[in-house]
Amino acid sequence: MMYKMDLGRIMAFPLLNARYEGPLGGLDKVPRPFLIGVAGGTASGKSTVCDKIMEQLKKSGLEHHRHVTIISQDSFYRDLTAEEHERAKKGEHNFDHPDSFDVELMRRTLVDIKAGKVMELPMYDYIAHKRTTKTTVIHCADVVLFEGILVFYFPEIRDLFNMRLFVDTDPDTRLSRRVLRDVEERGRSLEQILHQYMTLVKPAFEEFCLPTKKYADVIIPRGADNIVAVDLIVQHIQELMRPNRPGRRQRNNSDSIVGRPH
Ligand SMILES: Nc1ncnc2c1ncn2[C@@H]1O[C@H](COP(=O)(O)OP(=O)(O)O)[C@@H](O)[C@H]1O
Ligand SMILES: Nc1ccn([C@@H]2O[C@H](COP(=O)(O)O)[C@@H](O)[C@H]2O)c(=O)n1
């Protein structure tokens, strides 16, 4: 019998829970889905890097075999109280603090995704400051990219990743991109953006996001402009997922890929 479990608007359909082995038969020891965490400051290019990785995995002809999905940590913002909502409208709610996220929901959802469950995740509306009725469905994914400012902050989330990337873009570049994006796409005034940035976003980046860079397997300077880094990452994923790869094994969380920074 199919039943629907409501996880605070994140739904799981356990009937469809059978682990998808795909056209390649056994997966050897490479975990599927292969879960990649992508962290970095606001407007560093996390989403753009994820898009490039997905695009290149598809371009390489793997689309017949590989399903790639991108999820945003923003789908896991806690619901705001009426009072918090009023503050958010003035750029005075701290969306960059770890307490802004529903970490347990995030963890359960990622664990379910790793277990092969079909999930439907709500998308986030930055104008209304809440999750929308629009959803992304995740099923049969071979590679899942999970991007967000604090995806490496929580140990219980960090430890779930098979690969960790940190997008390291100059703060001036990030601020200028954020201003343009938030005016164009998130319905913000310049004054509100700068006030929120200086009082909340920048201090939280320095306190909570930047220190998590040390957990990355690969640091990507300049984000999606760094074609070499993106190419190397894609090649590595392809190599890991190549069928019948000799010596393929489950990655230990302490393994380095290009070199773990200290
Ligand atoms: N390499 C780049 N060159 C120019 N603009 C970029 C570049 N990377 C991202 N952007 C733009 O900057 C903004 C933030 O990028 P995005 O990938 O959404 O960052 P994040 O996911 O880290 O917030 C977007 O408007 C995007 O189009
Ligand atoms: N209602 C919201 C929710 C989040 N933010 C800001 O978004 C940033 C995270 O998204 P990125 O794509 O930039 O990584 C974060 O810095 C929050 O300040 C917001 O302004 N309003």
Side-chain angles (χ1 to χ4, degrees):
M1 184 183 73
M2 182 164 99
Y3 63 95
K4 188 163 83 173
M5 187 166 59
D6 193 340
L7 301 174
R9 301 194 54 211
I10 296 194
M11 279 88 66
F13 298 91
L15 179 72
L16 304 172
N17 184 1
R19 198 157 161 80
Y20 172 71
E21 293 296 328
L24 301 172
L27 289 169
D28 297 338
K29 302 251 171 51
V30 172
R32 180 193 295 222
F34 190 75
L35 186 61
I36 304 176
V38 183
T42 180
S44 55
K46 299 179 294 296
S47 311
T48 310
V49 164
C50 289
D51 288 344
K52 293 254 176 226
I53 292 174
M54 183 161 80
E55 199 181 290
Q56 288 203 24
L57 282 172
K58 289 187 172 178
K59 233 197 267 170
S60 67
L62 288 177
E63 70 272 27
H64 302 302
H65 305 290
R66 304 295 177 211
H67 298 268
V68 185
T69 303
I70 301 169
I71 309 173
S72 172
Q73 186 178 35
D74 297 351
S75 293
F76 299 92
Y77 272 121
R78 289 182 192 284
D79 292 334
L80 300 184
T81 63
E83 196 186 317
E84 285 171 332
H85 195 261
E86 283 312 302
R87 290 168 62 79
K89 287 201 277 188
K90 294 185 268 178
E92 289 175 358
H93 178 77
N94 197 345
F95 288 103
D96 296 73
H97 193 283
D99 290 349
S100 296
F101 293 94
D102 187 337
V103 185
E104 179 49 23
L105 182 60
M106 205 186 313
R107 190 195 63 79
R108 284 203 316 264
T109 305
L110 291 179
V111 166
D112 283 349
I113 287 171
K114 283 190 82 143
K117 288 183 185 171
V118 177
M119 306 296 289
E120 193 174 358
L121 306 188
M123 296 174 71
Y124 191 76
D125 179 343
Y126 298 90
I127 297 176
H129 305 291
K130 62 178 187 188
R131 289 173 282 199
T132 64
T133 47
K134 270 202 217 155
T135 55
T136 314
V137 176
I138 295 151
H139 66 114
C140 302
D142 298 294
V143 177
V144 174
L145 293 141
F146 186 57
E147 65 84 18
I149 50 175
L150 295 178
V151 298
F152 299 159
Y153 181 80
F154 312 99
E156 62 271 49
I157 305 297
R158 190 167 73 221
D159 290 346
L160 294 173
F161 297 125
N162 304 110
M163 182 191 282
R164 302 185 200 119
L165 312 177
F166 190 96
V167 182
D168 196 10
T169 303
D170 161 72
D172 294 346
T173 307
R174 292 195 294 102
L175 175 58
S176 58
R177 285 183 188 160
R178 177 158 171 146
V179 167
L180 294 177
R181 180 195 64 190
D182 285 7
V183 167
E184 278 173 28
E185 296 169 22
R186 298 189 181 180
R188 311 287 168 89
S189 69
L190 180 59
E191 192 187 19
Q192 182 190 340
I193 296 164
L194 295 179
H195 173 65
Q196 183 185 355
Y197 188 85
M198 292 312 293
T199 56
L200 301 169
V201 180
K202 182 175 154 61
F205 170 75
E206 284 161 7
E207 185 173 355
F208 306 115
C209 176
L210 191 55
T212 68
K213 187 157 78 168
K214 63 177 173 285
Y215 299 116
D217 298 302
V218 183
I219 294 169
I220 311 174
R222 306 180 307 286
D225 286 345
N226 194 333
I227 297 163
V228 173
V230 172
D231 281 354
L232 285 171
I233 291 160
V234 169
Q235 274 175 36
H236 185 75
I237 298 167
Q238 285 169 341
E239 173 61 21
L240 281 176
M241 305 212 100
R242 192 158 58 88
N244 309 320
R245 188 173 73 93
R248 201 155 82 165
R249 67 189 171 86
Q250 181 126 19
R251 177 178 174 255
N252 180 306
N253 262 337
S254 64
D255 285 354
S256 273
I257 288 166
V258 165
R260 190 182 292 281
H262 301 289

